[in-house]
Structures are given as structure tokens and as C-alpha cells.
Amino acid sequence: MGMNATQLIKMANQIGAFFASQPNQEQARTEYAQHLKRQWDPQMRTALYAHLDASGGEGLSEFVLQVLRDLRGQIAPQAAAV
């Protein structure tokens, strides 16, 4: 895998900032989760959740943390979803 946690955090936060700026927060959360599921390969999502589990999500925005925690079953690759 070519990306480290710092790169993934930066990308997750940048994309999250776009969705967080939307007026309907519930829809924004759903669309952000869908974006990660469609656009990020399973290794990237696995690495992001490994970071979340190991560090509590250090460096991730509050919006991103909330979506990753609340919608894990929709985002995490099947092997990682517990």
C-alpha cells in the first residue's frame, strides 16, 4: 500500500470538510460514507480504520470521526467490520 496514515488522514479530512459544509448534516454524513465506500479501495479503508482503532482517530476531524464510528458497517471492508 502506497499511502501512510498521515496521507489518509489528510485526504479523509479534506473530503470530510467538503461534505461537512453541506446544509443537511444527516445527508452529508451518508454521502461521505458512500464516497469512501465507492472511491477508496479496501486497503485504504482498512488502514483508516486501523488508525482509528489504534489511536482513537488522532488527527481526524470531528465530522470524519463521527461518520467513521457511526457508519462503520457501511464503510469498512467486510473483513474489518466487526
Side-chain angles (χ1 to χ4, degrees):
M1 182 170 43
M3 297 201 131
N4 64 33
T6 302
Q7 291 170 311
L8 290 173
I9 292 164
K10 181 178 178 182
M11 286 176 45
N13 284 339
Q14 287 174 334
I15 297 163
F18 168 78
F19 285 101
S21 71
Q22 303 303 307
N24 181 328
Q25 286 298 288
E26 191 57 38
Q27 182 177 353
R29 290 164 32 88
T30 300
E31 289 178 1
Y32 180 65
Q34 290 172 347
H35 175 85
L36 293 180
K37 180 74 173 177
R38 285 191 309 257
Q39 302 299 321
W40 286 36
D41 68 42
Q43 293 85 5
M44 291 170 69
R45 290 182 278 131
T46 297
L48 188 60
Y49 274 104
H51 170 73
L52 176 67
D53 294 340
S55 73
E58 183 179 333
L60 293 168
S61 73
E62 190 57 39
F63 176 84
V64 172
L65 283 171
Q66 186 178 50
V67 173
L68 291 178
R69 289 178 179 145
D70 293 349
L71 301 177
R72 185 175 190 138
Q74 296 176 32
I75 300 167
Q78 291 302 318
V82 177

